[in-house]
Amino acid sequence: MKKLIIANWKLNPTTLKDAQKLAASISVKAKNKVVLCPPTIYLSNIQYPNIGAQDCFWADKGPHTGQTSPAQLKDLGVKYCIVGHSEKRETGDTDEMVNGKVKACLAQKITPVLCVGFGTTVEQDDLEVTDVLKKQLNVNLAGVDASQVVVAYEPVWAISKGNPYLTRAADAEHAEKMAIFIKTRYKAGKVIYGASVNVNNAKGFLSQPNIDGILPGGVSLIAKDFNQIINM
Ligand code: PEP
């Protein structure tokens, strides 16, 4: 069974030429399903079978300076869109805003990749983590058919600042428990794990029965390592 691997390039690279070079170096015949999420400004100039966006707005058009709508993303052939990433929540996205983004993506038949795990800490036990997730998911998925959503469990404390070999990922067993919780309680279509995934730990996440894939950040910029991961 193919797993879903969604590459979050974040604010990288700094030129279109380098972005195209990176995309061209990622295998299109990988064992798993791969989605590349380059910065919005490059979306129309990147060739890859599955392209995703890193964020969107909740309205399709209107007086919203600087925003990008799911309708516009759809027009470019974008199939997935990350919403609720901790780096967006940190800069002001509320649970209600994230809910609006999830709904707006679904209305355009774009699969939302809903990130949860902002506010968790490394000291919390599983029960405390599920309390944080409940608070987010109850609002983020309100009025939504969750079977159409990919939920990405991203414990914020484990997210790398760019180098996933210098930070510690969560345990695969813990991530598996959170995936079971999210599927059982919210009936999410898929649950994937993100935060400090690298060549050494990816297989551990991909081999969990309830983890449907991964969301690599920093390592998705290292073509050699990423190509290895997508073929695990
Ligand atoms: C992320 O922030 O979505 C992420 C997974 O980052 P990293 O892999 O670099 O921890």
Side-chain angles (χ1 to χ4, degrees):
M1 174 79 164
K2 279 190 178 197
K3 299 260 174 164
L4 179 63
I5 303 189
I6 303 181
N8 180 8
W9 288 3
K10 306 192 181 185
L11 190 54
N12 302 288
T14 46
T15 67
L16 174 61
K17 203 171 157 212
D18 283 348
Q20 288 173 326
K21 207 169 132 198
L22 178 59
S25 65
I26 307 304
S27 170
V28 292
K29 289 193 181 127
K31 187 174 152 200
N32 294 294
K33 180 169 182 177
V34 180
V35 180
L36 300 184
C37 300
T40 309
I41 196 164
Y42 301 147
L43 280 171
S44 52
N45 290 296
I46 295 290
Q47 302 301 318
Y48 198 76
N50 300 301
I51 292 289
Q54 296 176 15
D55 189 35
C56 67
F57 194 58
W58 51 82
D60 276 339
K61 60 179 184 174
H64 309 290
T65 304
Q67 302 292 356
T68 304
S69 77
Q72 294 168 329
L73 295 175
K74 183 76 184 174
D75 187 50
L76 294 183
V78 168
K79 297 177 187 164
Y80 292 81
C81 183
I82 297 170
V83 295
H85 193 279
S86 59
E87 287 153 14
K88 292 296 298 178
R89 293 181 188 261
E90 219 166 61
T91 54
D93 273 22
T94 64
D95 283 323
E96 289 74 14
M97 290 176 187
V98 175
N99 177 247
K101 293 180 180 193
V102 171
K103 287 177 171 163
C105 284
L106 290 174
Q108 293 295 335
K109 300 203 165 19
I110 291 174
T111 302
V113 181
L114 167 61
C115 297
V116 292
F118 183 63
T120 57
T121 67
V122 67
E123 294 85 19
Q124 286 171 331
D125 61 26
D126 292 345
L127 212 62
E128 289 169 315
V129 175
T130 56
D131 278 346
V132 176
L133 300 185
K134 266 191 243 170
K135 216 167 144 271
Q136 276 158 30
L137 287 164
N138 285 348
V139 181
N140 297 166
L141 291 175
V144 167
D145 175 4
S147 71
Q148 303 304 308
V149 177
V150 174
V151 175
Y153 171 53
E154 292 212 306
V156 65
W157 54 267
I159 292 178
S160 85
K161 295 277 179 267
N163 186 339
Y165 292 97
L166 292 179
T167 36
R168 187 165 82 77
D171 293 336
E173 294 70 26
H174 163 74
E176 167 73 1
K177 280 190 213 156
M178 295 305 110
I180 293 170
F181 167 75
I182 294 166
K183 283 185 174 171
T184 310
R185 190 174 175 110
Y186 294 95
K187 313 281 178 248
K190 284 186 192 300
V191 178
I192 63 177
Y193 168 83
S196 292
V197 171
N198 61 36
V199 166
N200 306 322
N201 61 27
K203 187 74 191 168
F205 295 109
L206 292 171
S207 55
Q208 299 296 324
N210 288 284
I211 297 180
D212 302 302
I214 47 177
L215 175 52
V219 83
S220 69
L221 301 169
I222 310 169
K224 185 173 152 284
D225 292 7
F226 189 65
N227 276 321
Q228 204 178 319
I229 290 172
I230 62 182
N231 281 300
M232 283 180 176

